[in-house]
Amino acid sequence: MRERHKTRVVRIGDVAIGGENPIRIQSMCNTKTEDVEATVAQIRALTAAGCEIVRVAVPTVAAAEAIGDIRRQIKIPLVADIHFDYRLALAAMEHGADKIRINPGNIGEDWKLREVVNAAKERNIPIRVGVNSGSLEKDLLQKYGGVTAEGIVESALEKVHRIEELGYENLVISIKSSDVLMCIRAHELLAAETDYPLHIGITEAGTLLRGTVKSAVGLGVILYEGIGDTIRVSLTGDPLEEIKAAREILKSLGLRKGGVEVVSCPTCGRTEIDLIGLANRVESLVERYSDLDVRVAVMGCVVNGPGEAREADFGVAGGKGAGVLIRKGEVIRTMPEAELLPALEAELQRIRAERR
């Protein structure tokens, strides 16, 4: 892991990003923001899963006005996502948004951007300057012969400079592409040019499997290079899956601790239990124990199970209709297959009780 890129600290509500702060996990609601009850319910579920900053779409005045009601009922910072209409940015800030996300390129004339920046300055609300590869300006497309990492970075920095010229530097930068290699290159170039905190992600990554793989590869490389202060895994699906994927990416790089890590072996001809079903049930079980920092092993046979589970805090290995409970590589109990999951949960409860 390379030394982390040095960035300035920006506060979003009660959460600080940049500097030496942890890399924060974000997601975006897929509810209609005007539906306060549904949006609050989703944000609470995201918060319980580990989300630390949440964004909502603000395409209408009603959505901007809902910001206040939503904000009063949640515990994490709320970001308003604005496109095209500068008045929606003003309304969102007036109703309590902790940060706004804009693309100055589609806000319109300079005076409209000035209005937004002045309102943010009065309230000391951070602005996330977001540029996607799909929104690259025609002159940059012509200059670079199409969408390129260099063009994305030039576009983002030009918009940052416009806001800086208006006397405001409480900024976060986000540049995204659905092309993994282009996204990596763009972040490398941008990190060399600025010390603003960077919000990283692979945009339009895809459905659960494809999007998670693309995000893990792209964000894994970017984070390994020490770049990134806050992260969103963009998936076509339940936003809760974005939080799970982001946590696993950060944990796999040693950038986030806590929660139960599940390791499980691949299936093979020796497997005599429902290993796939058991591993999936274990994954669901451990979501309720995010306060623990332990490793659980799920192994398909008793031949290699105990040895392979040696580095885990505890685990199970299956036999024909039965299995064993393992603690630190030692078999401590044999039981029917149906009792393996309850036995694992009992171990989790025991560890939680001991650490409290």
Side-chain angles (χ1 to χ4, degrees):
M1 183 75 66
R2 296 182 183 174
E3 184 179 356
R4 188 169 172 186
H5 175 60
K6 297 295 189 296
T7 56
R8 64 183 73 181
V9 175
V10 168
R11 296 199 66 84
I12 305 162
D14 295 332
V15 174
I17 66 171
E20 300 297 323
N21 290 292
I23 296 167
R24 305 296 187 179
I25 297 174
Q26 297 198 27
S27 186
M28 185 172 183
C29 289
N30 60 9
T31 56
K32 297 295 184 184
T33 307
E34 299 90 336
D35 187 341
V36 173
E37 183 178 355
T39 302
V40 167
Q42 187 169 76
I43 293 174
R44 287 176 174 172
L46 288 168
T47 304
C51 183
E52 295 163 298
I53 301 169
V54 69
R55 182 161 44 117
V56 294
V58 182
T60 65
V61 173
E65 292 175 345
I67 291 287
D69 287 339
I70 296 168
R71 187 71 196 86
R72 284 188 287 273
Q73 299 180 63
I74 64 174
K75 296 180 179 180
I76 60 176
L78 185 62
V79 182
D81 191 84
I82 313 294
H83 287 280
F84 306 114
D85 192 339
Y86 80 101
R87 293 168 297 183
L88 296 177
L90 299 178
M93 289 186 282
E94 180 182 345
H95 285 88
D98 294 298
K99 183 174 78 170
I100 59 168
R101 186 271 191 187
I102 63 171
N103 181 341
N106 68 32
I107 287 293
E109 296 91 334
D110 286 344
W111 68 267
K112 294 179 179 179
L113 180 61
R114 184 180 302 109
E115 289 284 324
V116 173
V117 172
N118 286 341
K121 191 186 304 183
E122 288 173 8
R123 297 172 173 84
N124 197 31
I125 293 175
I127 297 175
R128 172 182 151 192
V129 180
V131 174
N132 288 351
S133 57
S135 63
L136 211 57
E137 294 82 356
K138 290 182 179 178
D139 62 325
L140 291 175
L141 291 174
Q142 293 175 348
K143 176 179 178 179
Y144 291 103
V147 178
T148 65
E150 290 78 7
I152 295 171
V153 172
E154 184 172 333
S155 176
L157 291 177
E158 184 275 331
K159 293 168 177 57
V160 168
H161 295 331
R162 286 179 63 189
I163 296 175
E164 289 175 331
E165 289 171 357
L166 295 171
Y168 201 52
E169 297 186 354
N170 193 5
L171 307 176
V172 178
I173 305 177
S174 171
I175 53 170
K176 294 185 179 181
S177 171
S178 58
D179 184 309
V180 171
L181 296 180
M182 184 183 297
C183 207
I184 292 170
R185 178 59 178 158
H187 282 87
E188 292 171 339
L189 293 171
L190 183 60
E193 295 289 335
T194 183
D195 69 345
Y196 286 115
L198 302 183
H199 169 98
I200 64 172
I202 307 295
T203 193
E204 301 161 358
T207 51
L208 182 58
L209 174 60
R210 188 181 301 271
T212 299
V213 171
K214 288 181 68 174
S215 296
V217 172
L219 298 181
V221 172
I222 293 168
L223 291 165
Y224 182 81
E225 293 187 358
I227 299 169
D229 300 285
T230 179
I231 177 177
R232 181 195 175 190
V233 175
S234 299
L235 300 176
T236 306
D238 188 337
L240 287 173
E241 299 297 333
E242 299 185 350
I243 304 304
K244 295 177 186 177
R247 288 178 59 181
E248 290 304 317
I249 291 171
L250 292 173
K251 285 168 63 177
S252 68
L253 291 166
L255 295 170
R256 183 65 69 98
K257 296 189 181 297
V260 180
E261 179 185 0
V262 177
V263 295
S264 57
C265 67
T267 57
C268 74
R270 287 192 299 269
T271 304
E272 294 185 288
I273 64 168
D274 177 17
L275 177 63
I276 296 172
L278 178 60
N280 286 328
R281 290 192 295 274
V282 171
E283 287 275 9
S284 298
L285 168 67
V286 301
E287 290 178 9
R288 303 198 294 269
Y289 294 88
S290 60
D291 55 317
L292 299 182
D293 183 13
V294 296
R295 176 179 287 190
V296 175
V298 183
M299 299 298 160
C301 72
V302 295
V303 174
N304 296 321
E308 292 174 346
R310 196 176 306 280
E311 295 182 4
D313 292 277
F314 52 91
V316 291
K320 190 172 182 178
V324 295
L325 179 66
I326 304 163
R327 187 181 297 157
K328 297 294 185 181
E330 298 295 329
V331 175
I332 61 172
R333 184 176 153 203
T334 301
M335 67 197 73
E337 180 180 342
E339 296 180 14
L340 290 173
L341 192 66
L344 278 176
E345 182 159 26
E347 287 292 309
L348 288 169
Q349 292 174 343
R350 177 184 62 79
I351 292 176
R352 175 181 276 171
E354 288 177 352
R355 295 187 178 181
R356 284 179 175 174

